[in-house]
Amino acid sequence: MGIKRKIKNYIYLKRHYPLSVKNITPDPNKKTVLIVDSQIPTFDKDSASNRITEIAKFLAKHYNVYLMDWRKAIPKLESKKYIQNLNDHNVMVYTPFIGEYGIMKGKKHFINNLLPKLDFVWCHRPELFEHYLDFFRKKAPQAKIVYDMVDIHYLRMERGLEIKYDKNRAKELVYYKHIETELCKQADKIAVISDKEKEFMTAFVDPSKLFTVSNVHNLKVKPEDMPPFEKREGIFFIGTFLHDPNVDAVEILYHHIMPLVWKVLPKLKITIIGPEAPEAIEKMNSERFEIAGFVEDIIPYYKKCFASVSPLRFGAGVKGKIGQALEYTLPVLTTEIGAEGMFLENRVTALISGNEDYQKFADNIIEICSNESTWNTLHNNSEKAIYPFSIEAQKEEIFELLK
């Protein structure tokens, strides 16, 4: 690192740090887990971040838990609320500091201090596992390495390429497939996000290494505490546009599904929520098809809308947008791909259509916005739908993973 960069970093730390003032003292009687991610998890921006945040908070009740962003030597001010949220639940997050004699202590200092204490290294996402596998094998041979797949990336890409071929995405697929079917064999344990993916992965690795650790969702409200059917209006879609299936889903809503809905319900408004929308999506914005971008507080949408809609044609893993809607007892409309691994039952806990049955998806939207009986059935069955994703339902599997 050059002298100018060091000075710039020093000034940044003096001006903005510490990002959290809580001091957490490790318990010498507990085992130590280091979670390595590609970012400080942004629980309110993407499903994978929300999942690892909830897992870290749960683990911190039973282990000494540290979390490190592998990319940034200096987490920025924007990460402050996420670091504080984790610290509030006794998760120790890497941030540099200015030590004795004005010397900055960074990531190297953080890792070197942890290496002899580590019992588990939890590599969240395939890139992290590939990057750190050899390092922790050599530097912390006593530590068990957990590869958290998040979802099976190459499978999601493979499904997407069947619908829309992209040369660059095809190259990425080869990279991820190597990690997810070959390199993964070198992990001590592998966390998969659903039993369906666990079954899929048995073709590549010893089944005894596989553990299902899904999204973590808990019922946030009681059905009777939420506004009733007659006080609802509109529907919404939510998801980050850095995720190809979400871009495709919004295009399908705009070009195929909503025109069919508007023939019957011409005034129905749909709101598209999520960061990083490409220009083509931004241009869809209108009074009936609102492109809202990132929304800090989405709870009002759970309170005022008829349903969350997710017409996914491809993807893999468990869909956080569906679990989050169920947390607030909001009916969910999705496809067979969207429902994969979610334990959903058509017309009992969700309305489910074929992946490319646009007329059926449109009919489901019309029904959920006009049939109070259907709406109440899904609304009142949310707790049944969400239970498999609660910590209570998953904790034994997590403890087994970290034996």
Side-chain angles (χ1 to χ4, degrees), residues 15 47 71-72 81 97 244 265 334:
R15 183 174 296 165
S47 173
R71 286 181 176 161
K72 292 183 180 175
K81 78 170 183 177
F97 64 94
D244 289 348
L265 300 174
T334 192

Side-chain angles (χ1 to χ4, degrees), residues 205-240:
V205 295
D206 182 343
S208 68
K209 286 187 174 186
L210 298 168
F211 298 82
T212 302
V213 183
S214 196
N215 285 355
V216 179
H217 296 290
N218 297 289
L219 205 63
K220 300 285 177 66
V221 295
K222 294 178 181 177
E224 59 268 26
D225 293 336
M226 294 296 276
F229 175 84
E230 60 270 18
K231 292 188 177 179
R232 304 272 175 161
E233 61 179 5
I235 57 177
F236 71 89
F237 171 93
I238 186 169
T240 173

Side-chain angles (χ1 to χ4, degrees), residues 32 115 117-121 136-137 140-145 188:
T32 297
L115 287 173
K117 306 171 191 173
L118 289 176
D119 295 290
F120 299 95
V121 179
F136 283 111
R137 279 280 183 251
Q142 80 285 356
K144 298 294 183 187
I145 295 179
D188 295 298

